[in-house]
Amino acid sequence: MALTVSEVAKLGQLARIELSDEELARLAPQLEVILESMARVSTLDTTDVPPTSHPEPLTNVFRADVLEPSLTIDQALGMAPATEDDRFRVPRILGEEA
């Protein structure tokens, strides 16, 4: 069953993607190949394959959380273009109220 151009147009509409006629004609056969590949994968016998989230075991790569000395407020704010109440002062965005 081939994927039609009108079906691809409907998918584009659902995804809120505006597609030209050329794009629809090009995408229909490409998406058909993807769907056929997925159908082939779903026919594989995976009864002896354990469910996994990763093909390789994961190890923790994070370092230990060690408390270390940090900058003082004056050092951190020392080169800031503007400060207010020991904080960086930045321009208001998105019309927020003060």
Side-chain angles (χ1 to χ4, degrees), residues 5 10 40 42 73 94:
V5 171
K10 179 65 175 173
R40 278 195 306 254
S42 67
I73 292 173
L94 301 177

Side-chain angles (χ1 to χ4, degrees), residues 58-97:
L58 298 177
T59 57
N60 187 352
V61 295
F62 300 109
R63 62 171 172 74
D65 193 9
V66 178
L67 186 60
E68 295 181 0
S70 184
L71 299 174
T72 66
I73 292 173
D74 290 333
Q75 290 171 324
L77 298 175
M79 302 229 2
T83 63
E84 183 179 304
D85 298 327
D86 291 335
R87 295 182 179 93
F88 294 101
R89 175 140 175 89
V90 296
R92 185 175 293 136
I93 59 169
L94 301 177
E96 295 175 349
E97 297 291 324

Side-chain angles (χ1 to χ4, degrees), residues 11-48:
L11 289 172
Q13 181 183 23
L14 291 172
R16 291 181 167 78
I17 300 172
E18 191 173 320
L19 298 169
S20 69
D21 291 339
E22 293 173 355
E23 290 170 320
L24 291 171
R26 187 178 72 243
L27 287 174
Q30 291 176 355
L31 290 173
E32 182 64 29
V33 170
I34 293 170
L35 291 174
E36 288 173 0
S37 298
M38 293 305 298
R40 278 195 306 254
V41 169
S42 67
T43 62
L44 295 174
D45 180 17
T46 59
T47 54
D48 295 332

